[in-house]
Amino acid sequence: MNMNSQISGNRKKNYIMALAFVIAGVVLDQFTKSLAAAHLKGKNPFVILDGVFELQYLENRGAAFGLFQNQHLFFFASVVLMTVAVIIFYGRVPMEKKYFFLRACAVLIMAGAYGNCIDRISHKYVIDFFYFKLINFPIFNVADIYVTAATFLLFFLILFYYKEEELERIFHSGKRCGRAD
C-alpha cells in the first residue's frame, strides 16, 4: 500500500469515528431529554443542591437566553450552515495528534447542533433541564454543554495553544491537510 492510500484510509477511518461520536453524542443528549420529559415534566424541580443546582423541565422555543423565539427557519438554516462549515473545517484539519482537540470540538459542536435540531423537528421546542439556581443561569441541556464547552475550548486553542503557522495550515491552505500520525 502506498503512502497516499494509507493517508486516505486513515482520513476515512477518522471521518467514520467522528460520525460515530456525533451519533453517540446525539443519542446521549436525546436519552437525557427523554428522561427529563418522563420524570420532570409537570413536576416540581428535583433539587440536587438546595439553592444551587436542580433539574427543572423547560420547553425552550428559542435559542440561548430565550433569543429567537419560534424562529424555526432560522434554526434549520443555522444547522445546515454549521454542518457545511464544520465539514469543511474538519476536512482541512490535519489528521495529526496535535490537532485532535480541534477535531473533537467539531464533533461536539455537530452533536450539540443535531441534538437540539432533533428536538425542534420532533417537538417544535428544545427540552432543557439543568438549572444553576445560585446564579440564575438559563436552563440548559446536554447538547448545550457540548456546544458551549467546544466553543470555549476552540477559542482557547486558537488563542493560546496553536501557533500562527499551525493555524495557517488549516485556514489559509487551499488544499486538505492529509498527513496522519
Side-chain angles (χ1 to χ4, degrees), residues 147-168:
V147 173
T148 303
T151 301
F152 279 112
L153 179 59
L154 189 61
F155 281 118
F156 175 82
L157 292 169
I158 289 171
L159 293 174
F160 302 109
Y161 182 71
Y162 293 106
K163 294 177 180 72
E164 186 176 339
E165 57 272 8
E166 293 168 329
L167 293 172
E168 283 182 19

Side-chain angles (χ1 to χ4, degrees), residues 119-146:
D119 277 17
R120 291 184 197 290
I121 291 169
S122 62
H123 307 301
K124 303 286 188 239
Y125 55 82
V126 173
I127 296 172
D128 289 332
F129 54 93
F130 291 125
Y131 178 47
F132 280 103
K133 189 172 187 172
L134 179 68
I135 58 174
N136 195 26
F137 194 80
I139 301 173
F140 58 99
N141 61 46
V142 172
D144 298 335
I145 294 170
Y146 297 157

